Amino acid sequence: MIPFSPPRIDERTIAEVTAALRSGWITTGPRTKEFEKRLAAYCAVEKVIALNAWTNACELVLRWFNIGPGDEVIVPAYTYCATANIVLHVGAKPVMVDVLDDFTMDPDAVRKAITPRTKCIMPVDIGGLPADQQQVMRIAEEHRSVFVPNGEVQQQLGRILVLSDAAHSFGARIGDKRVGAIADITGFSFHAVKNLTTAEGGALALNMPKPFDNEALYKHFNVMSLHGQSKDALSKMQTGAWRYDVTMAGWKCNMTDLQAAIGLVELDRYDSETIPRRKAICERYNAAFGADARFVAPVFADAGREGSYHLYMLRLANAAEVQRDAVIAAIAKREVSVNVHFIPMPMLTIYKELGYRIADFPNTFNQYSREISLPVYYDLTDAQADTVIAVVKEAVAEVMG
Ligand SMILES: *Cc1c(COP(=O)(O)O)cnc(C)c1O
C-alpha cells in the first residue's frame, strides 16, 4: 500500500524531541523562541509567532482586528473548511468567491464581492501555489474609501486587512519574496500532513505596514494566546518573578517546545531536502500526465511565482464527478492512497444549511469534480511514484474506457 502523505520522522527528529524532553522544559520555551526567530529569518519578516494550529492563530487575528457580527470576510469557495470556520467563530459572515483554473481565488470576483461590511480578505495558496496576493493587496488599497472602520486597530489600518491562508505554501515565492512577506499577516499550518510539520502547529508572519509595530503586535498575540496573562511560563520561571496580571479574557493556543523541536529539524532541511524531493516527485508526475490528453496537470510555477509543491492536484480532462469517484475507487483497489482537495465548502452540510449553493461557484465545482490528489512526500521513492502513475492510468482506462 502506498500511503498519501506520512510525515518524515527519522532518528534526527526523534533525537531532537528526546533532547527537548530531557531538558525538562516541554511547554513554550527556548526551542519555540528559536523556531520563531528562524521562521522570521526564513520569510524575511520582522516577527513570527508560533502557535498550536493555523486555525487558532488566524482566529486570533480576526479577533485582534475586531471582526464580529455584521462584518464580512471574503474567502474562496474552494478551500479547507478552516478558512471559513474561523469567520463563523467570531460571528462574521464568510463571503465566498469562485476560483481560477489554477485553483486560486479569482481577483475579479473579489472586487465584485467587496461591500462596506468587508473587513478582511483571505486568499488561499491552495496546493502551495500562491494566490495573487499582490493583486489582493492592491484591491484592499483601492477600496480604502469604502472601508468603514470599527475600533482603533481598523482605524489605524484604514482599509481591508489581507490575511493570507498559507497553510500549504510555506517556502513558496512571489517574485523575490517568500510567502509571509507580502500580505499583512500570513498564517502557516504545521499540521502532520503539511510540508513542514510540528505534529500540530501553526504560525503567523507579522508584516503589518507602518504605523503598526510588529514587535508590539508579536507581544500582543503572545498575551492573547496565553489567557491574557502578562507573563509567559518562561519569564515567570525567573527567580522572584512570580507576579503577573491578566489584561483580557484571552485564549490558549501556544506552541510547545516538543512541537518546536520537530519544527527546527524540519526547517533545517526544508530547502536542502524537503522541497527538492517534493519538486522532483511533482515533475515526475507532470512528465507522465502533462502529455496525456486524458489529464490536466497542475501548475507549480510561472513567471511571477513558485509554489511549495505541497499537493499534486491532478484533474481528469473530461469526467463527471461520479466518474472521478469511480476512478478513485479503482485506484484504491490497486493499493494507492489518493485524496480530493477539497470538497468545496458550499457542498458541506454546515454551509448548505447557511444558504451557500455550489451552483454559485461554477469553476470551483468544475475543478473539484475532476480533481484527484496523488501522494507527495519526502520518503516516496521514484519507483513508488512510477507505480502511482501506472495505477492512475490503469484506473482511468478501466473507468473511462
Ligand atoms: C490545514 C489547513 C488549514 C488548517 O490548519 P490547522 O493547522 O490544521 O489549523 C487551513 N487552511 C487550509 C487551506 C488547510 O489546508
Side-chain angles (χ1 to χ4, degrees):
M1 216 272 289
I2 297 179
F4 182 69
S5 88
R8 181 183 180 192
I9 299 167
D10 60 7
E11 288 311 316
R12 194 169 160 209
T13 318
I14 292 165
E16 288 302 319
V17 175
T18 304
L21 283 166
R22 290 194 198 284
S23 78
W25 195 272
I26 56 175
T27 184
T28 314
R31 283 180 172 78
T32 305
K33 298 299 157 192
E34 174 68 17
F35 186 43
E36 288 175 338
K37 283 201 189 95
R38 290 186 39 200
L39 290 169
Y42 184 90
C43 298
V45 293
E46 279 177 81
K47 291 305 274 187
V48 168
I49 180 167
L51 296 165
N52 75 345
W54 178 100
T55 301
N56 298 301
C58 290
E59 188 171 322
L60 287 190
V61 174
L62 300 185
R63 294 192 189 281
W64 161 74
F65 202 62
N66 196 30
I67 296 176
D71 293 333
E72 296 175 352
V73 176
I74 299 175
V75 300
Y78 202 158
T79 177
Y80 182 57
C81 63
T83 318
N85 281 358
I86 61 169
V87 178
L88 296 182
H89 293 173
V90 302
K93 179 182 170 192
V95 172
M96 296 185 193
V97 298
D98 212 349
V99 296
L100 303 169
D101 289 348
D102 68 6
F103 298 101
T104 67
M105 162 189 239
D106 178 355
D108 289 331
V110 170
R111 273 197 187 82
K112 288 186 195 126
I114 291 174
T115 75
R117 294 170 184 265
T118 309
K119 291 294 161 71
C120 178
I121 305 173
M122 293 175 66
V124 179
D125 299 343
I126 193 160
L129 184 72
D132 195 342
Q133 297 185 21
Q134 282 160 324
Q135 193 174 168
V136 174
M137 288 295 288
R138 280 198 298 277
I139 292 170
E141 276 299 333
E142 286 160 16
H143 289 78
R144 271 184 185 275
S145 60
V146 290
F147 184 70
V148 185
N150 175 17
E152 220 175 293
V153 178
Q154 291 185 14
Q155 208 117 37
Q156 198 166 32
L157 186 61
R159 61 160 168 81
I160 299 164
L161 179 76
V162 179
L163 171 59
S164 153
D165 178 343
H168 297 178
S169 60
F170 182 77
R173 202 172 48 68
I174 301 181
D176 57 2
K177 287 184 171 168
R178 296 260 198 214
V179 163
I182 298 141
D184 294 319
I185 298 182
T186 297
F188 297 115
S189 171
F190 306 137
H191 176 272
V193 302
K194 304 290 157 78
N195 271 24
L196 189 159
T197 188
T198 61
E200 293 282 355
L204 297 172
L206 307 178
N207 188 42
M208 292 295 294
K210 299 238 164 320
F212 287 91
D213 174 353
N214 290 304
E215 183 83 38
L217 190 55
Y218 169 81
K219 288 190 181 130
H220 185 75
F221 281 129
N222 263 305
V223 171
M224 276 184 95
S225 69
L226 273 170
H227 284 296
Q229 193 173 293
S230 61
K231 266 186 200 157
D232 62 21
L234 194 63
S235 10
K236 269 172 56 191
M237 271 289 286
Q238 313 307 314
T239 316
W242 61 273
R243 192 177 286 282
Y244 63 90
D245 192 12
V246 170
T247 52
M248 60 171 13
W251 291 266
K252 188 61 168 59
C253 51
N254 51 308
M255 175 173 279
T256 72
D257 267 24
L258 298 184
Q259 293 168 296
I262 303 173
L264 283 165
V265 174
E266 291 269 291
L267 186 55
D268 211 39
R269 58 196 186 189
Y270 194 69
D271 278 353
S272 57
E273 298 177 16
T274 307
I275 290 288
R277 183 64 202 139
R278 300 186 79 97
K279 182 176 178 179
I281 294 165
C282 291
E283 283 176 350
R284 199 173 188 91
Y285 287 153
N286 262 4
F289 297 111
D292 187 327
R294 298 173 299 170
F295 300 97
V296 179
V299 174
F300 292 98
D302 55 27
R305 57 187 173 160
E306 182 176 9
S308 66
Y309 306 92
H310 176 54
L311 297 172
Y312 191 85
M313 299 171 77
L314 181 66
R315 279 155 291 179
L316 303 174
N318 291 296
E321 188 183 7
V322 288
Q323 290 171 305
R324 185 276 311 275
D325 293 355
V327 170
I328 290 178
I331 294 170
K333 203 169 68 187
R334 292 169 169 82
E335 304 275 287
V336 169
S337 306
V338 295
N339 254 303
V340 172
H341 291 87
F342 290 95
I343 299 174
M345 293 188 298
M347 297 175 73
L348 304 172
T349 299
I350 167 72
Y351 289 98
K352 279 196 284 199
E353 283 174 1
L354 288 169
Y356 297 86
R357 295 286 170 263
I358 189 61
D360 295 333
F361 311 97
N363 207 34
T364 292
F365 184 77
N366 179 29
Q367 304 306 321
Y368 148 79
S369 60
R370 298 181 292 123
E371 201 270 351
I372 303 173
S373 299
L374 307 186
V376 182
Y377 52 91
Y378 182 81
D379 292 311
L380 187 80
T381 64
D382 286 348
Q384 287 175 314
D386 290 342
T387 301
V388 172
I389 292 164
V391 158
V392 170
K393 291 197 172 190
E394 264 173 50
V396 167
E398 181 184 301
V399 173
M400 314 282 290

